[in-house]
Amino acid sequence: MSQGVTKIALAMAFAALLPSCFGAQVNSRPVGPVALAYNFTKPTPAPAATPQPQASLTVGQVASGQGAVEVRGFHEPPDWGHRNYCGAGATQVLLSAWMTEVPDIEAVAKASKLNPNHGEFGADASNAIDAYLNPFVVPALGQPRYKPEHLTTLDEVKARIQNDIVDQQAIMTFGHGVPMMVQTMTRTMPGWNHWNATHMITIFAFDFSHGDPALDTVTYAETPSPLAGYRGPDFQTISVKALWVAMQAYLREFPADPMNVIS
């Protein structure tokens, strides 16, 4: 094994221990905000003779056991210096539900105390979110809306997702529900080609109408560039069971940051 290959192997092994997104270089994606590509309405099994446009995403609860919040997607800059910015990218997605003008990724990273070599921690991400939202949220609610927590059961996570996204107080006060962030490991998540790193994502929609974790789903945004190892679309929908596998892996593999849910 050459010295260069040895260094790469060591770097990859070390990266899995960091509170960050980090991967191998592949082709790059565009940088900056992207159009919302998620549609809550599923296509019907029988296609119509003439394709019909699907209904637009509805804010709040759209059906029994379902809900969604409109967000925008963001891409992290495709360079080595931004390989660990998944927390800042996820925060931009979350803030886009609340703010017309979302701060750029560098401003969010600074507010989150992000270390470009290691990423950021859940409590710091939560503090940054509240710092941006408090000027108009605290006067309306009397307190910050987000806080980091350590949730250890799937039932707790499901309840938090549903309660936040269809939060009636938020919908009545601000005109939208509340997207939330969770911490995961990437090994079992789509688009990561089994690469394993700590990761933050923003969940903005759910379908719990089946009553079965293998069939119930959540939809979330992915912001890392291909340099960080992600090779999938801007928005992903996975089963609740798959989400919980990735979240449990985070609790098990990175106990240094127990704050695995920001809601």
Side-chain angles (χ1 to χ4, degrees):
M1 183 180 293
S2 70
Q3 184 178 9
V5 173
T6 301
K7 288 182 178 179
I8 293 173
L10 289 173
M12 292 175 68
F14 181 65
L17 301 177
L18 302 179
S20 60
C21 304
F22 168 76
Q25 184 168 6
V26 293
N27 293 332
S28 63
R29 296 194 298 172
V31 181
V34 297
L36 180 67
Y38 175 71
N39 191 307
F40 204 85
T41 304
K42 296 182 175 63
T44 56
T50 302
Q52 299 294 320
Q54 295 182 2
S56 61
L57 183 68
T58 302
V59 176
Q61 188 153 0
V62 297
S64 178
Q66 300 177 345
V69 183
E70 188 170 3
V71 298
R72 280 176 283 159
F74 288 82
H75 292 158
E76 298 157 34
D79 56 60
W80 185 253
H82 291 88
R83 68 194 183 280
N84 295 328
Y85 273 61
C86 64
T91 297
Q92 286 185 297
V93 174
L94 183 149
L95 291 175
S96 73
W98 297 87
M99 307 170 70
T100 301
E101 297 295 329
V102 176
D104 67 43
I105 198 165
E106 298 297 351
V108 173
K110 183 177 180 180
S112 304
K113 300 180 180 178
L114 185 147
N115 182 328
N117 296 316
H118 302 285
E120 67 187 59
F121 290 91
D124 292 327
S126 182
N127 289 339
I129 292 167
D130 284 331
Y132 285 115
L133 301 185
N134 280 351
F136 59 90
V137 168
V138 172
L141 301 181
Q143 62 185 11
R145 180 54 184 80
Y146 285 92
K147 65 178 180 179
E149 294 193 72
H150 177 67
L151 301 186
T152 59
T153 70
L154 176 56
D155 286 344
E156 288 179 301
V157 172
K158 285 187 64 176
R160 191 59 55 81
I161 292 171
Q162 182 160 341
N163 292 342
D164 277 15
I165 290 176
V166 297
D167 181 340
Q168 292 305 301
Q169 182 183 31
I171 291 171
M172 293 297 294
T173 306
F174 306 108
H176 57 79
V178 179
M180 60 180 285
M181 286 170 58
V182 301
Q183 305 253 40
T184 69
M185 299 300 295
T186 59
R187 185 189 302 278
T188 59
M189 298 176 72
W192 287 94
N193 196 30
H194 305 294
W195 175 257
N196 199 39
T198 58
H199 191 34
M200 289 185 182
I201 58 173
T202 292
I203 296 172
F204 63 91
F206 71 93
D207 180 353
F208 294 166
S209 61
H210 301 88
D212 181 345
L215 300 175
D216 290 340
T217 62
V218 295
T219 298
Y220 61 93
E222 283 281 16
T223 62
S225 74
L227 181 75
Y230 181 66
R231 301 168 177 82
D234 299 318
F235 304 103
Q236 291 277 11
T237 297
I238 61 173
S239 71
V240 171
K241 181 179 179 179
L243 173 69
W244 186 232
V245 167
M247 291 184 69
Q248 283 181 301
Y250 181 85
L251 291 174
R252 181 176 62 251
E253 298 178 35
F254 199 75
D257 185 7
M259 300 294 102
N260 64 324
V261 173
I262 301 169
S263 70

